[in-house]
């Protein structure tokens, strides 16, 4: 018998209708054993629960009170979802009281642990109420399991926790429950029982860690899309849906632009060879996309997907005898690191180096992906080039703006003769000039840099040309082949 771990994100948890659909899934398949929940996501007309909790915790720390207005919004979110499911307001309020209990624990913790306690509460409140619905209204045999009770230990920064090895042994016990386990994602505790959370979007990671610990057969991730598309649907008209893709391929695609799940969440399941199935909650009978360790390749279709990112710039550094200067690459990378500018791609020649950087890397931004806010001021790109030039004593540093990077990915590309020829031919026929070309050492990807053109016209043409060269009729062919 399979053992399925299913994750429901903020969107799936943001309406009564969707909760009913999730319950149907458990009712119809007893192999679904663990339901990992995010907090309620965005509801029209209301701020999002996790954002409200972050704001409330920060206000409590700064001013001494958790504003009533924020509490009211948090309550309203839960009424909106659970009242239509016949959970009376009084029962909702009983569970919502937990929030006050936690706010009162302010003195017990340092500010970041307090933040973690409050921010993770969205997942707990939702999961406790969801359990009420599943057991009392749907009459399913389900129970809430708390990460503190099972020993879900995280380590590191309280707002950017990483799984502690000890947790896996504890989480393995979730396999022994006879009931459907309803488990809140995102939070845990450290070994001293202090509150901890993963970084934002961490429920993907909770579910992945549980899938690994329980040796799940499948890790299902329920979303509002049919699965993963072979190209950006905003650029390519009705791109085909990828039925199967390997972890390695998805890593390459996500690196440029595909937004699938929390990157760190893929690692534990990938190592344990557990397939991830991305499915649409509104069309549960469709297969969605499977992310797997290895897949059968169809030599007619060496490419699985075409990712692209527009609005990047190429930074060309030239220095005579660069190749003989030991540590030159290290100096460049250090400057980028110190300025907290992340590099998408590097190509080198004997005396030149081209670094591809997303233009937004130079904008003012919060640099930590978690909740700890590191704020970085805007960097003037031309001043940055000047700085690079003088620091590296380079002959020239040129910034070429308005570029697009396209990444063609597929395990089938390995040892395929003539693949680059097909790419360049498709671009030539569309009059697109290639400015940068790089085949990754894995032969699993080819990266092409081009000028984006006016209003991204060139980028649009190029992505479509490559997509149609390799993936046209992909779905039809799959269907015909059974
Ligand atoms: N609720 C958390 C967030 O908004 C965690 C999650 O949804 O995965 O980041």
């Amino acid at each position: 018998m399979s053992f399925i771990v299913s994750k429901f994100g903020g969107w799936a948890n943001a309406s009564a209708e969707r909760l009913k659909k999730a319950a149907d899934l458990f009712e119809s398949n007893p192999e679904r054993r663990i339901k990992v929940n995010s907090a309620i996501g965005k509801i029209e007309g209301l701020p999002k629960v996790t954002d409200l909790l972050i704001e409330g915790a920060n206000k409590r720390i700064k001013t001494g009170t958790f504003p009533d207005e924020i509490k009211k919004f948090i309550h309203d979110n839960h009424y909106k979802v659970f009242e239509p499911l016949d959970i009376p307001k009084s029962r909702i309020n009983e569970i919502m009281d937990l929030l006050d209990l936690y706010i009162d624990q302010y003195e017990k913790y340092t500010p970041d642990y307090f933040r973690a306690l409050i921010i993770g509460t969205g997942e707990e409140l939702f999961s406790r109420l969801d359990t009420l619905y599943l057991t009392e209204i749907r009459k399913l045999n389900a129970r809430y399991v708390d990460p503190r009770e099972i020993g879900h230990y995280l380590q590191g920064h309280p707002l950017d926790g990483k799984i502690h090895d000890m947790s896996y042994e504890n989480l393995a016990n979730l396999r022994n429950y006879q009931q459907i386990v309803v488990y809140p994602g995102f939070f845990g505790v450290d070994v001293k029982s202090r509150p901890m959370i993963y970084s934002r979007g961490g429920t993907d990671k909770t579910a992945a860690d549980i899938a690994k610990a329980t040796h799940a057969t499948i890790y299902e991730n329920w979303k509002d899309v049919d699965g993963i598309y072979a190209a950006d649907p905003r650029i390519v008209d009705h791109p085909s849906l990828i039925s199967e893709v390997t972890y390695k391929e998805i890593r390459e695609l996500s690196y440029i632009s595909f937004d699938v799940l929390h990157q760190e969440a893929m690692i534990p399941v990938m190592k344990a060879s557990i397939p991830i199935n991305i499915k649409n909650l509104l069309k549960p009978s469709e297969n969605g996309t499977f992310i797997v360790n290895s897949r059968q390749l169809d030599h007619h279709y060496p490419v699985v997907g075409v990712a692209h990112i527009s609005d990047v710039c190429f930074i060309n550094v030239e220095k005579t005898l660069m190749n003989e200067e030991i540590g030159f690459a290290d100096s460049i990378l250090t400057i980028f690191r110190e300025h907290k500018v992340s590099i998408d791609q590097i190509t080198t020649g004997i005396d030149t180096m081209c670094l591809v950087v997303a233009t937004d890397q130079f904008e003012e931004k919060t640099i930590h992906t978690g909740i700890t806010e590191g704020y970085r001021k805007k960097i003037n790109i031309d001043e940055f080039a000047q700085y690079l030039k003088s620091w590296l004593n380079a002959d020239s540093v040129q910034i070429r703006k308005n570029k697009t990077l396209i990444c063609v990915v597929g395990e089938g590309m390995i040892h395929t003769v003539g693949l680059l020829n097909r790419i360049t031919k498709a671009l030539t026929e569309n009059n697109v000039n290639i400015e940068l070309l790089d085949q990754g050492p894995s032969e699993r990807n080819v990266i092409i840099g081009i000028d984006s053109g006016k209003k991204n016209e060139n980028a649009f043409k190029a992505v479509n040309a490559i997509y149609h060269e390799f993936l046209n009729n992909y779905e039809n062919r799959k269907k015909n082949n059974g």
Side-chain angles (χ1 to χ4, degrees):
M1 187 156 160
S2 292
F3 188 98
I4 304 173
V5 172
S6 306
K7 182 251 167 174
F8 295 82
W11 172 84
N13 295 342
S15 87
E17 280 316 305
R18 294 173 210 155
L19 256 72
K20 281 186 194 162
K21 288 196 188 300
D24 294 343
L25 294 173
F26 283 85
E27 204 168 56
S28 63
N29 186 354
E31 293 179 340
R32 291 200 170 91
R33 298 285 300 278
I34 303 183
K35 182 171 195 280
V36 184
N37 281 325
S38 286
I40 296 175
K42 179 78 187 116
I43 296 179
E44 184 75 25
L46 286 173
K48 209 182 128 175
V49 171
T50 307
D51 295 340
L52 287 164
L53 289 165
I54 294 173
E55 201 188 326
N58 287 338
K59 288 256 163 69
R60 170 66 187 85
I61 292 162
K62 269 199 201 122
T63 66
T65 40
F66 192 108
D68 283 341
E69 176 196 271
I70 294 183
K71 274 192 209 165
K72 185 182 170 305
F73 276 139
I74 297 172
H75 277 74
D76 288 347
N77 269 286
H78 291 82
Y79 298 148
K80 262 247 154 67
V81 173
F82 288 100
E83 276 194 307
L85 294 172
D86 294 333
I87 309 281
K89 220 176 204 149
S90 58
R91 300 292 302 277
I92 301 176
N93 286 342
E94 268 168 34
I95 288 179
M96 298 302 293
D97 284 349
L98 268 175
L99 179 60
D100 286 318
L101 195 87
Y102 293 155
I103 295 170
D104 288 344
Q105 290 182 10
Y106 176 72
E107 306 292 343
K108 237 173 111 178
Y109 301 111
T110 59
D112 278 340
Y113 287 107
F114 175 72
R115 282 193 178 95
L117 174 69
I118 299 301
I119 296 166
T121 305
E123 274 56 23
E124 178 174 358
L125 296 175
F126 176 84
S127 296
R128 286 187 182 277
L129 285 162
D130 190 27
T131 313
L132 256 186
Y133 166 65
L134 293 173
T135 52
E136 295 189 13
I137 310 292
R138 297 298 294 259
K139 308 288 178 216
L140 287 168
N141 189 14
R143 63 161 290 185
Y144 170 82
V145 176
D146 196 281
R148 290 161 281 221
E149 153 199 347
I150 197 98
H152 194 145
Y153 296 120
L154 301 180
Q155 56 192 348
H157 193 283
L159 303 175
D160 187 15
K162 310 278 177 216
I163 189 88
H164 194 298
D165 272 347
M166 241 158 56
S167 301
Y168 287 118
E169 234 172 86
N170 299 339
L171 290 171
N173 293 322
L174 292 173
R175 214 180 155 106
N176 303 331
Y177 289 99
Q178 293 313 307
Q179 304 98 323
I180 298 163
V181 169
V182 183
Y183 196 92
F186 195 33
F187 75 92
V189 280
D190 70 2
V191 285
K192 293 185 179 153
S193 299
R194 290 176 299 195
M196 298 279 294
I197 50 175
Y198 290 96
S199 61
R200 287 292 310 255
T203 305
D204 276 344
K205 290 201 239 176
T206 303
D209 285 330
I210 291 178
K212 176 180 164 172
T214 56
H215 301 286
T217 335
I218 298 180
Y219 165 14
E220 283 180 341
N221 203 304
W222 292 91
K223 290 185 175 278
D224 56 344
V225 288
D226 292 349
I228 304 168
Y229 291 104
D232 185 340
R234 288 167 302 186
I235 302 285
V236 173
D237 192 23
H238 291 97
S240 56
L241 193 71
I242 303 177
S243 51
E244 234 183 11
V245 57
T246 66
Y247 289 111
K248 291 204 169 120
E249 287 170 330
I250 212 72
R251 287 274 305 142
E252 305 272 9
L253 290 165
S254 319
Y255 171 63
I256 295 285
S257 60
F258 277 40
D259 178 19
V260 181
L261 30 142
H262 206 300
Q263 285 294 295
E264 280 174 47
M266 277 199 286
I267 294 160
V269 276
M270 176 171 102
K271 287 197 177 146
S273 297
I274 299 166
I276 304 173
N277 188 194
I278 312 277
K279 286 186 60 118
N280 190 340
L281 184 62
L282 305 177
K283 299 178 196 166
S285 57
E286 293 189 6
N287 289 337
T289 299
F290 280 90
I291 308 176
V292 292
N293 247 343
S294 67
R295 64 184 179 91
Q296 220 187 351
L297 302 177
D298 174 348
H299 68 275
H300 292 289
Y301 288 93
V303 169
V304 76
V306 183
H308 78 283
I309 171 177
S310 287
D311 214 6
V312 296
C313 56
F314 298 166
I315 303 177
N316 272 12
V317 182
E318 272 202 57
K319 185 176 185 186
T320 316
L321 298 183
M322 181 192 282
N323 68 320
E324 289 186 11
E325 204 173 311
I326 293 173
F328 187 81
D330 186 43
S331 313
I332 292 198
L333 298 183
T334 306
I335 297 171
F336 277 80
R337 195 188 60 225
E338 281 170 356
H339 287 81
K340 300 194 165 52
V341 172
S342 140
I343 304 165
D344 279 337
Q345 180 71 16
I346 304 178
T347 50
T348 54
I350 186 157
D351 287 337
T352 56
M353 197 180 248
C354 175
L355 301 107
V356 181
V357 176
T359 314
D360 69 3
Q361 285 293 312
F362 294 99
E363 282 161 13
E364 272 179 36
K365 60 182 178 162
T366 313
I367 44 170
H368 198 284
T369 48
I371 297 137
T372 4
E373 275 168 26
Y375 191 61
R376 202 208 55 190
K377 287 265 172 252
K378 191 176 173 119
I379 298 173
N380 180 300
I381 191 164
D382 299 309
E383 280 170 20
F384 181 72
Q386 274 310 316
Y387 180 80
L388 266 180
K389 183 170 181 289
S390 65
W391 188 256
L392 299 166
N393 202 10
D395 300 336
S396 72
V397 175
Q398 244 191 10
I399 309 260
R400 289 150 64 204
K401 296 177 189 161
N402 194 35
K403 305 293 172 191
T404 290
L405 214 54
I406 301 173
C407 186
V408 187
V409 176
E411 302 268 7
M413 289 160 60
I414 304 172
H415 308 313
T416 300
V417 177
L419 194 116
L420 274 177
N421 184 30
R422 285 176 69 185
I423 296 179
T424 49
K425 194 168 142 272
L427 295 179
T428 311
E429 279 167 3
N430 282 278
N431 205 21
V432 177
N433 178 41
I434 299 174
E435 296 189 12
L436 178 153
L437 182 65
D438 192 12
Q439 174 170 294
S442 66
E443 267 195 74
R444 208 177 280 118
N445 72 350
V446 170
I447 293 192
I448 304 132
I450 58 166
D451 192 81
S452 307
K454 232 198 216 160
K455 294 192 184 154
N456 281 343
E457 261 169 30
N458 236 17
F460 179 89
K461 264 199 305 194
V463 173
N464 272 284
I466 297 174
Y467 173 84
H468 290 294
E469 170 63 31
F470 291 102
L471 289 152
N472 226 2
N473 288 328
Y474 176 72
E475 251 167 331
N476 291 342
R477 188 186 165 93
K478 283 238 125 175
K479 271 181 211 142
N480 295 340
N481 287 353

